[in-house]
Amino acid sequence: MLFRAACLCSARIRAPEPVLRGHGRSYGSRYFLWERESRLARPVPVDIRVSVTVQQILSQSGNQRRHFSSWPSVREKLLSVRQASVLRYRIPFTLFSELCSLSTAYTQSGAPSEKHTGNMPTCEPFERLPKSVVPRHYELLLQPNLKTFVFHGKETVQVEVKEPTDKIVLNALDLSIKQAEYVCADGSLKPVSVVLSAENETLTLCFSSALPVGEGKLTLVFTGELNDKMKGFYRSKYTSPSGEERYAGVTQFEATDARRCFPCWDEPALKATFDIALRVPLKKVALSNMPVVSERELTPEEGRALVVEGGGKDEGEGGGGGGEEMQLRELRFSRTPVMSTYLVAVVVGEFDSIETKSGDGVLVRVYTPVGKAEQGQFALDVASKVLPYYKDYFQIAYPLPKIDLIAIADFSAGAMENWGLVTYRETCLLVDPENTSAVRKQWIALVVGHELAHQWFGNLVTMEWWTHLWLNEGYASFVEFLCVEHLFPEYDIWTQFVTETYIRALELDCLKNSHPIEVPVGHPSEIDEIFDDISYNKGASVIRMLHRYIGDEDFRRGMNTYLTRHQYGNTFTEDLWAALEEASCKPVGAVMSTWTKQMGFPTVRVAEQCQEGPSRRRLTLVQHKFCADGSTKGDSPLWMVPLTFSTSKCPDKVAHQMVLEGRTADVVLENVSNDEWVKVNPGTVGFYRTQYPSEMLAQFVPAIRDRSLPPLDRLGLLDDLFALVQAGQTPTVEVLRLMEAFGAEEDNFTVWSSISNCLGKLGVLLSHTDFQPLFYAYGRRLLGNVAARLGWDQRPDESHLDTLLRSLVLGRLGWYGDEGTIAEANRRFKSHASGEKLIPADLRAPVYKLVLSSGDQTTYDTMLKLYREADLHEEKDRISRALGAIKDEALLKRVLEFAMSDEVRSQDTVFVIISVAMTKVGRELAWSFLRENWQVLLERYQGGFLIARLVKSTTENFASEEKAQELEAFFREHPSPGTERTVQQSVETIRLNAAWLQRDKDAIHSYLSSVA
Ligand SMILES: [Zn+2]
């Protein structure tokens, strides 16, 4: 997911003639090239735009290099743009075939038969499926065995042969194909060869002669394993109410794992309809995207038929191993709308459910573990209100007759938006009023809002390719806040957006190893890696900026146009811009492409402020790319920045707005007197940092103290300053002073979470020094007032945000060694553990950590006991993620072993290891542990975002060149597709930490000593 250099502005992309674009890039050892051809709706001559990195071309030798050079357009530019990272050129369509052969020639360079010298990379092509044969409709029958973990399947796919070909290529992985047959008007054909490629994840059927153009039916019989990797069709372990260990069969297909369940054209643009049928044991619940249309019991012979057809033994594999489970029934589900394969879902297992009808007549059901139906009530309420909300917002009704939300015990992501059957981690769906914290409930509302937003945005209208994944995720991550704001105004959720979403995106996106929102991806391992904070958080942040820029009314109208125009189809990012541009008459495409096609974001610096007479203020603004290492280059890229301003007369209102297009611009604000402050980016909506001259910054301090500056502006000021500190553009001492200006009176949760975020980062940095105790004392002074105001016990009338704030403040105060807080935590824990008086769910996480951080072997054993007794997954999470707080090294080693044990689900293991990495003593242990267990972890997760998360969190808190090199060396020897960028980001962060520490250590030390 990497893409950079010159941006193609959307105006050009939406040129009158269809445009075909290609990108080539080398990523790790892979090379790929693909074309954007679904724009080729009309048979007219077209141009192709191709990007190839210069390095790729220059790294070639001999024939390959000559191939590139013989291509006129390249040769012309090759010499002049040697310094550029990417080449772009337009060539006539007639040269396209040459381009293809070129890419083949290029990719063959790694083939063993070809001799080559030097450091030429091994190249392996990634190609999208050929479009000569495409699917129209699948009839899919699956029969999972929940005892033997084998599933049998049979499908008949109606396909259209668009051009004569003797090959059908589709996706399949980890399946074995038992029978294959193609039937068309000419009769029935058996393939002469059936080839599965694990590397390309394809199934290729070759026929003795070309298949005639037109319709045909491909029938395949296959089997696979219900795996334990949480992808494809997998098994999820649960404990029955009687204490028995059992398994459910569950699917998780996004991004590219439908191919692990049935052979299919597993690309989002190859949509089709589906008739799904399941053969399952009598008593099991079986669900799919659509409602059941028919159901019948099978005779034992029928139950074995598919197994026998697949070449399996007809004993023991039929239904489920014996007794009652041998009796099967078959459920047929009604036909789905035209949809992408990654949204297909089935679940088979034991569940309870509750249901209702939404205001607009859709059947809404929540499925929970057996005996826990009431824990689904909250999500049911939310979901049944969200559907009518979105219907009103998009002006399009939810298109299916039902929607199910189901909690799955083993689930790698948070939730998955399968059309009509949304799957969730238990902790993202279930609410137990006694044991669920306020912050968790809020999270569940957001996740439900997010997944239901996808039912329109993603499911009804789908990205054409994974490059546009951000459209799905960024948009849903934005809209979930709109909907939670509507349902729960008391959460004040938009202020939390800034700390939870916006700031995280800025923090990642200033790294050299970030990537643009829109990034070319090909191979599945690359797709996994873009499910990251850039796609989700930066995506949501720039959409929020756009929403402010064009206004809610135009935004809604544009969304309705977009969804209506493209329903049941696929889109490119530009299609959304086009609709919003029509609705708003603003240059949405031109503005937004600078944010989605370029990596990073700018700092807007107020270079000069000048009072012109009694009531005119002139500001001179300059934009530069903001880099984490503080470097500024004169020729850094430019963004079209929607700018807003507020003044102290009316702090909540936008006093002026404009779009900064060039490097620099002047703005004149009327009605501003000499002693008033002017703030850029009120509400912290624009995706950029602001840098003020010190006299302007000083003007804010009284407004921070008396809180006349709104919360989001207070936190925006702090966070921008902190970023400048990390980049070495401002001394750290400045930010320590500013936080003290907040300290005494600040009462807002969101501002505190931003302060806490800064304190956390400083704490990590200073853990590499010997004066950490001085910093802890500083932290205790900062937090003292607010902790005293809140106290330990919840007041009956207190706000949701005060509840969240208490947990944050007490946790940090105790972490900084406040003896009173630690003693109280221990006292409360004692009566909690004995069952005398339970600690409210909101306070448990900080209390567990404090108790462990001051605890010993006995404390650890008590925690484990509580863990084993806990029934609610959320509670297990809370305990296991606190374990790393313990300080004793021997016990920390036990925590790491525990993380890998059967007692912790794979989906949770990484978070337990991360909890160990969070402390000074645990950091080194966790890193060693990760290296020693790398093979096991790789095998366990087979790539995916959990392992990327683990690598990042275990390593990024180091702060020396030596560690940076250690990391590089280890991952050079242990490459793992899907974590390459994460490793680069970690290495970069470590070097930044080291530089920061070197730069400011002494000044911080003397400041902290002076105020101690
Ligand atoms: Zn999503």
Side-chain angles (χ1 to χ4, degrees):
M1 186 167 175
L2 279 158
F3 182 92
R4 240 294 21 229
C7 88
L8 292 161
C9 96
S10 71
R12 271 193 289 147
I13 287 169
R14 293 189 293 103
E17 84 280 12
V19 167
L20 199 135
R21 273 196 308 160
H23 309 273
R25 76 187 172 90
S26 100
Y27 184 63
S29 61
R30 225 171 280 118
Y31 170 82
F32 59 82
L33 177 120
W34 77 92
E35 69 281 11
R36 180 177 157 170
E37 63 186 12
S38 60
R39 283 283 167 103
L40 288 170
R42 286 168 291 165
V44 289
V46 292
D47 279 343
I48 305 163
R49 289 179 199 174
V50 184
S51 321
V52 180
T53 68
V54 173
Q55 214 185 358
Q56 281 169 356
I57 299 173
L58 296 183
S59 67
Q60 300 308 300
S61 58
N63 281 340
Q64 315 308 331
R65 177 87 164 266
R66 269 198 297 283
H67 268 300
F68 275 99
S69 303
S70 68
W71 191 12
S73 309
V74 182
R75 193 178 51 209
E76 281 163 26
K77 297 200 175 179
L78 194 56
L79 297 171
S80 60
V81 287
R82 232 164 232 271
Q83 301 311 312
S85 60
V86 172
L87 282 179
R88 260 170 225 289
Y89 28 75
R90 294 177 70 136
I91 58 168
F93 184 59
T94 46
L95 278 178
F96 183 59
S97 54
E98 190 181 338
L99 171 66
C100 291
S101 62
L102 191 68
S103 78
T104 314
Y106 178 82
T107 55
Q108 276 171 355
S109 64
S113 59
E114 182 137 350
K115 278 188 193 150
H116 57 263
T117 54
N119 297 322
M120 189 134 75
T122 311
C123 295
E124 164 195 316
F126 171 79
E127 280 171 18
R128 280 167 72 165
L129 294 171
K131 306 292 192 304
S132 45
V133 181
V134 292
R136 297 291 175 223
H137 174 70
Y138 293 81
E139 273 170 46
L140 174 64
L141 170 64
L142 291 168
Q143 180 171 333
N145 185 318
L146 302 172
K147 291 268 161 75
T148 60
F149 309 135
V150 171
F151 67 87
H152 295 273
K154 179 175 185 173
E155 67 179 357
T156 298
V157 193
Q158 286 172 22
V159 299
E160 187 185 337
V161 178
K162 300 185 108 178
E163 53 196 60
T165 174
D166 58 359
K167 249 194 258 175
I168 299 181
V169 186
L170 62 164
N171 293 112
L173 183 63
D174 294 344
L175 294 175
S176 75
I177 308 296
K178 302 296 182 185
Q179 289 180 35
E181 185 181 30
Y182 183 77
V183 179
C184 60
D186 296 2
S188 160
L189 299 166
K190 290 263 179 203
V192 289
S193 74
V194 176
V195 180
L196 282 161
S197 160
E199 199 176 328
N200 299 321
E201 307 188 354
T202 52
L203 164 64
T204 304
L205 306 169
C206 296
F207 296 88
S208 54
S209 59
L211 306 174
V213 170
E215 289 190 353
K217 283 187 177 180
L218 176 67
T219 298
L220 294 163
V221 177
F222 52 92
T223 66
E225 187 203 355
L226 284 177
N227 69 69
D228 60 353
K229 310 291 179 219
M230 295 181 281
K231 44 173 81 172
F233 199 4
Y234 70 93
R235 58 186 192 261
S236 163
K237 188 165 83 176
Y238 62 95
T239 313
S240 74
S242 60
E244 206 184 315
E245 235 174 46
R246 292 189 193 154
Y247 290 88
V250 181
T251 56
Q252 167 61 41
F253 290 166
E254 192 178 21
T256 56
D257 291 318
R259 64 191 64 170
R260 291 174 189 263
C261 177
F262 58 99
C264 57
W265 281 257
D266 199 10
E267 295 184 2
L270 295 169
K271 289 189 173 185
T273 51
F274 294 82
D275 284 342
I276 294 170
L278 291 172
R279 289 183 179 170
V280 300
L282 277 189
K283 297 253 168 83
K284 300 274 197 241
V285 170
L287 299 167
S288 184
N289 305 79
M290 298 299 285
V292 173
V293 280
S294 72
E295 190 177 336
R296 67 183 181 97
E297 274 187 40
L298 299 180
T299 64
E301 291 70 37
E302 286 176 314
R304 282 192 295 270
L306 189 57
V307 180
V308 175
E309 213 175 335
K313 296 186 204 100
D314 71 344
E315 236 175 10
E317 283 198 8
E324 206 171 70
E325 297 243 321
M326 280 298 276
Q327 287 178 282
L328 297 185
R329 64 188 173 129
E330 182 179 282
L331 297 100
R332 298 192 158 270
F333 299 89
S334 61
R335 182 164 300 186
T336 70
V338 170
M339 62 189 270
S340 306
T341 45
Y342 80 91
L343 293 167
V344 170
V346 303
V347 175
V348 180
E350 291 170 291
F351 299 92
D352 276 351
S353 70
I354 46 172
E355 63 180 68
T356 187
K357 278 246 160 106
S358 71
D360 56 338
V362 179
L363 173 65
V364 184
R365 299 182 293 199
V366 175
Y367 284 84
T368 70
V370 172
K372 293 177 182 170
E374 80 289 347
Q375 292 184 3
Q377 192 60 49
F378 178 76
L380 186 72
D381 291 345
V382 173
S384 58
K385 285 179 196 149
V386 167
L387 286 178
Y389 172 77
Y390 285 146
K391 180 183 176 185
D392 179 56
Y393 196 87
F394 299 129
Q395 289 292 303
I396 295 176
Y398 174 71
L400 307 189
K402 65 99 178 169
I403 184 144
D404 296 326
L405 293 75
I406 185 165
I408 304 294
D410 286 308
F411 198 79
S412 69
M416 175 62 211
E417 70 264 23
N418 314 303
W419 217 353
L421 175 55
V422 185
T423 43
Y424 294 81
R425 226 179 230 238
E426 288 188 355
T427 51
C428 292
L429 191 70
L430 303 180
V431 170
D432 169 3
E434 280 288 291
N435 294 298
T436 296
S437 63
V439 69
R440 180 50 53 179
K441 246 171 111 166
Q442 176 186 296
W443 175 246
I444 289 170
L446 286 169
V447 178
V448 171
H450 179 104
E451 302 309 328
L452 295 192
H454 277 314
Q455 306 300 308
W456 284 261
F457 208 98
N459 300 6
L460 182 63
V461 179
T462 312
M463 69 258 147
E464 196 276 339
W465 182 248
W466 300 105
T467 298
H468 303 274
L469 172 78
W470 87 275
L471 256 193
N472 263 14
E473 296 309 343
Y475 188 81
S477 303
F478 165 77
V479 173
E480 67 186 62
F481 282 83
L482 278 183
C483 113
V484 169
E485 171 74 11
H486 173 77
L487 297 184
F488 303 97
E490 68 275 19
Y491 287 178
D492 195 12
I493 202 75
W494 278 113
T495 65
Q496 299 185 57
F497 178 93
V498 175
T499 44
E500 296 305 308
T501 303
Y502 169 96
I503 286 176
R504 286 188 193 187
L506 289 172
E507 286 174 355
L508 183 57
D509 201 25
C510 63
L511 297 180
K512 286 201 176 80
N513 290 299
S514 181
H515 62 82
I517 286 179
E518 279 184 72
V519 65
V521 285
H523 192 274
S525 71
E526 295 170 348
I527 296 168
D528 268 354
E529 212 182 5
I530 59 173
F531 285 83
D532 70 352
D533 280 351
I534 294 295
S535 299
Y536 283 72
N537 295 348
K538 183 181 180 182
S541 300
V542 299
I543 288 172
R544 173 167 167 260
M545 174 166 73
L546 170 67
H547 179 258
R548 162 74 69 87
Y549 171 58
I550 67 174
D552 188 59
E553 203 179 303
D554 289 346
F555 188 82
R556 279 180 184 225
R557 232 190 8 255
M559 287 313 307
N560 172 261
T561 307
Y562 170 81
L563 291 171
T564 310
R565 185 178 291 164
H566 301 288
Q567 54 186 329
Y568 304 106
N570 293 82
T571 55
F572 298 83
T573 300
E574 290 78 21
D575 296 317
L576 178 61
W577 301 157
L580 293 171
E581 202 158 298
E582 281 168 39
S584 66
C585 299
K586 287 185 172 163
V588 172
V591 170
M592 292 308 288
S593 59
T594 67
W595 299 93
T596 62
K597 292 182 191 298
Q598 303 193 108
M599 170 173 112
F601 57 87
T603 314
V604 173
R605 184 165 63 86
V606 182
E608 216 177 321
Q609 106 160 317
C610 171
Q611 188 71 23
E612 300 179 334
S615 66
R616 269 168 73 96
R617 184 81 59 88
R618 175 184 295 275
L619 305 181
T620 304
L621 307 164
V622 187
Q623 63 158 311
H624 277 286
K625 183 177 189 309
F626 179 81
C627 298
D629 64 359
S631 60
T632 47
K633 285 196 196 104
D635 62 345
S636 87
L638 293 172
W639 282 261
M640 286 179 76
V641 191
L643 287 179
T644 50
F645 304 86
S646 62
T647 71
S648 44
K649 273 211 181 62
C650 221
D652 289 318
K653 286 235 163 63
V654 171
H656 183 74
Q657 56 182 324
M658 60 181 282
V659 175
L660 174 63
E661 293 190 29
R663 176 76 57 208
T664 168
D666 273 16
V667 57
V668 175
L669 295 154
E670 301 289 350
N671 207 12
V672 183
S673 65
N674 199 27
D675 55 351
E676 286 179 282
W677 54 256
V678 170
K679 182 162 183 306
V680 185
N681 201 9
T684 313
V685 177
F687 196 73
Y688 53 88
R689 298 288 188 189
T690 311
Q691 189 174 10
Y692 300 97
S694 53
E695 74 275 10
M696 265 179 102
L697 210 50
Q699 280 185 311
F700 293 121
V701 172
I704 290 172
R705 288 223 165 90
D706 70 12
R707 285 171 285 142
S708 57
L709 193 69
L712 284 180
D713 292 300
R714 301 203 289 276
L715 91 82
L717 275 180
L718 172 65
D719 200 66
D720 281 351
L721 188 70
F722 195 74
L724 293 167
V725 160
Q726 287 183 290
Q729 293 176 349
T730 300
T732 308
V733 170
E734 290 289 310
V735 90
L736 291 170
R737 284 209 186 95
L738 184 70
M739 284 197 285
E740 281 174 313
F742 282 92
E745 297 302 329
E746 185 57 65
D747 61 355
N748 181 279
F749 166 70
T750 315
V751 178
W752 272 113
S753 52
S754 174
I755 296 174
S756 171
N757 181 33
C758 299
L759 286 174
K761 292 201 158 60
L762 278 168
V764 167
L765 187 78
L766 300 179
S767 70
H768 298 279
T769 70
D770 54 6
F771 59 92
Q772 203 181 20
L774 280 175
F775 173 71
Y776 281 2
Y778 168 92
R780 291 197 298 270
R781 281 197 307 281
L782 204 61
L783 294 154
N785 269 0
V786 62
R789 177 175 79 76
L790 292 163
W792 275 83
D793 294 305
Q794 188 167 3
R795 289 183 305 276
D797 58 340
E798 83 177 14
S799 70
H800 172 77
L801 293 180
D802 269 358
T803 308
L804 303 190
L805 181 57
R806 176 178 300 107
S807 155
L808 176 82
V809 165
L810 291 178
R812 213 163 254 296
L813 192 59
W815 196 249
Y816 291 161
D818 183 71
E819 284 172 15
T821 308
I822 295 171
E824 184 63 17
N826 276 292
R827 193 182 69 74
R828 287 180 185 243
F829 180 72
K830 216 170 164 190
S831 58
H832 176 81
S834 69
E836 190 183 316
K837 186 169 185 241
L838 292 186
I839 297 169
D842 293 300
L843 278 181
R844 284 185 210 163
V847 167
Y848 292 166
K849 278 188 198 145
L850 295 183
V851 167
L852 280 159
S853 75
S854 55
D856 55 15
Q857 172 86 45
T858 319
T859 324
Y860 181 70
D861 292 339
T862 312
M863 281 294 173
L864 276 191
K865 181 168 165 284
L866 288 177
Y867 178 88
R868 286 167 186 149
E869 286 167 3
D871 188 33
L872 186 70
H873 199 98
E874 177 186 340
E875 179 69 8
K876 280 190 191 287
D877 264 9
R878 243 188 318 254
I879 298 169
S880 63
R881 293 177 191 200
L883 291 177
I886 207 148
K887 287 186 176 136
D888 182 83
E889 259 192 57
L891 288 174
L892 282 173
K893 284 184 181 155
R894 282 182 53 191
V895 175
L896 291 167
E897 282 159 24
F898 171 73
M900 301 294 282
S901 73
D902 282 349
E903 285 193 80
V904 179
R905 290 179 187 272
S906 283
Q907 60 173 11
D908 303 319
T909 297
V910 297
F911 300 100
V912 183
I913 302 175
I914 288 170
S915 83
V916 173
M918 289 300 111
T919 66
K920 185 176 184 168
V921 41
R923 206 150 46 209
E924 193 63 52
L925 281 179
W927 169 228
S928 305
F929 185 82
L930 181 132
R931 282 176 292 173
E932 284 156 21
N933 293 277
W934 184 244
Q935 278 315 320
V936 183
L937 289 163
L938 270 189
E939 164 62 20
R940 189 186 273 212
Y941 296 105
Q942 308 212 328
F945 48 80
L946 282 175
I947 198 143
R949 178 85 174 264
L950 177 66
V951 168
K952 180 179 158 72
S953 302
T954 335
T955 56
E956 69 179 359
N957 288 337
F958 288 114
S960 69
E961 176 57 30
E962 182 197 342
K963 281 289 168 197
Q965 288 183 14
E966 196 173 294
L967 212 70
E968 283 176 325
F970 179 77
F971 286 103
R972 217 173 13 245
E973 281 161 35
H974 303 84
S976 80
T979 57
E980 289 102 335
R981 188 181 302 107
T982 308
V983 170
Q984 289 164 353
Q985 286 170 350
S986 265
V987 169
E988 186 180 349
T989 305
I990 294 170
R991 294 207 162 105
L992 289 167
N993 289 343
W996 182 16
L997 193 63
Q998 219 42 50
R999 193 166 63 226
D1000 279 4
K1001 186 172 59 179
D1002 295 341
I1004 299 172
H1005 191 182
S1006 58
Y1007 178 81
L1008 290 176
S1009 314
S1010 74
V1011 297

